[in-house]
Amino acid sequence: MKKLIAIVVLSVFVFSSCVEDEVPALQNTNVSLNFKHNWDGTSVSNLSNTIQYTNEAGNELSIERLRYLISDVTFHKSNGETIVVEGYNLIDVTSGENLSYVTPVQIPIGTYTNVSFTFGFDNTDNTEGVYTDLNSASWNVPMMLGGGYHFMQLEGKFVNNVAAEQGYQYHAIKAVDNADPMNLVFQDTFFTVNLGEVIVHNNSLVDVNMNIAEWFKNPYQWELNDFNSMLMPNFNAQVKMYDNGQNVFSLGAVN
Ligand SMILES: [Cu+2]
């Protein structure tokens, strides 16, 4: 028995030392993207119905619900090669779920000239009804608006132009003109977020910041009296969300 244990121990030792010798210079690691949220620099973590923010147009508002989807995180090497991590993550700030997204495949340690992801789903991934977890999260877009999935739901209340509190639902989807229900006209509104250079260490933590105020800021100063509800069938509102979304995300701390 002792001899057997000795052989097992020896073989484990030989095996592991052998493996160690064959470890290539390139080591793979998990990378966690940590999604953090602020309003022009003030951290937003616990959502509430308190009207405490003022957007660029001067509307006072609360943020009571925030969910959004990102997909296809991509690591860009200096030689032009890319590592595309197929998959998606539905960040739910309301419940604090999925604020951290660990890439489902490991990434070689090293320097990347850019790390990017898709805000929402591209047209290949935005397939009607195929993601059961998103279906049960009521993340779908109605078929009359083309089906597929939401990109974002940002909701709360604002003080309207007769000084009354009114709800808003800033829902981002693929822009659709449904004036003729038999002939829907689409425009792409998913976009690529480029975070810039990231050095991936062992078990790297990469902070991704969303400045929520930017959704209301540039180039369109979002006037909630004009655009507050029923924005999903509103083609112009969807294009404005796309335009304003371009500067919402930035790279935070990398560890
Ligand atoms: Cu919606």
Side-chain angles (χ1 to χ4, degrees):
M1 187 63 188
K2 270 186 187 164
K3 196 176 173 187
L4 180 63
I5 290 171
I7 289 168
V8 169
V9 168
L10 184 66
S11 61
V12 165
F13 175 75
V14 168
F15 180 71
S16 61
S17 63
C18 175
V19 165
E20 203 143 14
D21 287 341
E22 289 177 3
V23 165
L26 221 52
Q27 274 188 300
N28 294 330
T29 183
N30 292 321
V31 177
S32 302
L33 298 186
N34 297 320
F35 293 89
K36 300 189 169 180
H37 309 88
N38 70 84
W39 183 276
D40 283 337
T42 303
S43 176
V44 176
S45 48
N46 296 315
L47 305 186
S48 82
N49 57 12
T50 307
I51 292 180
Q52 57 184 319
Y53 305 105
T54 305
N55 71 11
E56 198 75 355
N59 308 135
E60 295 173 84
L61 60 108
S62 66
I63 301 170
E64 302 178 24
R65 187 183 208 195
L66 174 56
R67 305 197 290 174
Y68 60 97
L69 186 133
I70 66 103
S71 60
D72 293 353
V73 176
T74 302
F75 293 79
H76 304 255
K77 299 182 190 175
S78 57
N79 65 4
E81 286 177 25
T82 57
I83 302 167
V84 181
V85 181
E86 295 287 342
Y88 58 86
N89 185 43
L90 176 60
I91 295 118
D92 189 344
V93 184
T94 324
S95 65
E97 287 172 61
N98 298 339
L99 297 179
S100 182
Y101 174 58
V102 181
T103 55
V105 297
Q106 293 204 318
I107 304 300
I109 287 170
T111 300
Y112 294 87
T113 52
N114 183 23
V115 173
S116 64
F117 60 82
T118 301
F119 175 77
F121 274 139
D122 65 21
N123 294 329
T124 307
D125 292 335
N126 199 10
T127 313
E128 167 60 21
V130 298
Y131 308 108
T132 52
D133 58 328
L134 298 182
N135 298 344
S136 55
S138 301
W139 196 240
N140 304 74
V141 169
M143 281 308 292
M144 60 177 291
L145 297 177
Y149 293 91
H150 280 79
F151 298 167
M152 184 172 75
Q153 295 177 333
L154 169 59
E155 299 178 3
K157 286 190 291 289
F158 72 105
V159 181
N160 67 17
N161 51 17
V162 291
E165 290 187 6
Q166 182 179 344
Y168 73 86
Q169 298 88 36
Y170 191 117
H171 286 200
I173 64 172
K174 180 175 179 171
V176 55
D177 182 338
N178 67 340
D180 176 2
M182 299 309 290
N183 183 25
L184 300 178
V185 179
F186 295 102
Q187 183 170 316
D188 289 343
T189 49
F190 67 88
F191 56 87
T192 302
V193 174
N194 294 304
L195 296 173
E197 185 185 274
V198 171
I199 298 171
V200 171
H201 308 285
N202 202 25
N203 294 314
S204 264
L205 307 173
V206 177
D207 286 355
V208 178
N209 295 322
M210 177 200 273
N211 181 0
I212 303 166
E214 283 286 348
W215 287 110
F216 298 95
K217 193 179 283 189
N218 177 46
Y220 173 62
Q221 285 190 16
W222 200 276
E223 175 50 71
L224 280 168
N225 286 289
D226 295 336
F227 296 99
N228 49 69
S229 299
M230 297 296 289
L231 300 181
M232 291 170 65
N234 188 327
F235 187 93
N236 289 334
Q238 292 304 323
V239 173
K240 284 175 162 55
M241 290 177 195
Y242 166 84
D243 289 340
N244 280 15
Q246 303 300 316
N247 299 311
V248 160
F249 293 97
S250 61
L251 180 65
V254 179
N255 290 295

